[in-house]
Amino acid sequence: MAVIDLAELPPAGALVGLDLGEKTIGVAVSDATRMIASPLETIRKTRFTDDVAALLKLVDSRRPVGFVIGLPVNMDGTEGARCQSNRAFARNLLRLKPDLAIAFWDERMSTMAVNRMLIDEADVSRARRAEVVDRAAAAWILQGALDRLRNG
């Protein structure tokens, strides 16, 4: 398929959320009914082809119909280098898997919000937060997209 608008994702089936960092890829998945996003795994980046192989191996059994990639837009709405990097990741992913449907979701402040929640509500230690923050941010991104799809 291609990079598409969120509303153009296939109408049913599981989605995968990605929080692309410089060193890691946070991965989350939704249930088939698209009610809840769940953190799945954090992939340590090495080489792009190895990263994609690990990602696809992780999610293929869930038969996702699309991917939602967080887009770290600046607070003023402009796109910087991280946005360009995430868009390039999507283009390269489509070169390897041209049948994927990929949409972007504005992830402004997602990692900060997840860290705040882990500190305030879950009282998670700094070391444990480092382990879970990327996949939790991916779930935060995906849940935002699911809520938008459900509520228009």
Side-chain angles (χ1 to χ4, degrees):
M1 289 188 84
V3 174
I4 56 177
D5 185 73
L6 188 65
E8 297 173 40
L9 285 169
L15 296 174
V16 172
L18 300 178
D19 179 35
L20 302 174
E22 291 182 23
K23 298 178 182 175
T24 60
I25 301 170
V27 183
V29 294
S30 77
D31 58 319
T33 64
R34 296 187 181 173
M35 295 301 288
I36 297 175
S38 300
L40 185 61
E41 189 70 55
T42 300
I43 298 170
R44 295 264 171 235
K45 284 184 167 180
T46 55
R47 292 181 335 150
F48 178 79
T49 52
D50 294 338
D51 300 342
V52 170
L55 173 63
L56 296 176
K57 181 179 179 184
L58 184 64
V59 301
D60 273 351
S61 65
R62 290 166 164 68
R63 293 195 163 89
V65 298
F67 281 60
V68 177
I69 298 175
L71 198 61
V73 178
N74 294 325
M75 291 306 290
D76 64 2
T78 60
E79 293 189 11
R82 293 296 309 145
C83 285
Q84 293 171 358
S85 175
N86 288 13
R87 289 186 186 281
F89 182 94
R91 281 191 307 274
N92 292 332
L93 182 57
L94 284 170
R95 286 189 184 114
L96 295 175
K97 291 284 284 185
D99 58 326
L100 287 179
I102 298 175
F104 290 107
W105 180 254
D106 183 347
E107 68 162 83
R108 273 182 269 198
M109 312 271 284
S110 63
T111 301
M112 189 173 76
V114 166
N115 269 311
R116 180 63 34 219
M117 184 268 306
L118 290 172
I119 293 168
D120 293 345
E121 297 175 25
D123 195 27
V124 176
S125 70
R126 182 181 305 256
R128 181 72 177 128
R129 276 195 317 270
E131 291 177 25
V132 301
V133 71
D134 295 314
R135 61 180 170 236
W140 184 279
I141 291 163
L142 183 55
Q143 189 64 54
L146 296 175
D147 292 347
R148 170 61 64 85
L149 287 169
R150 193 170 38 261
N151 299 324

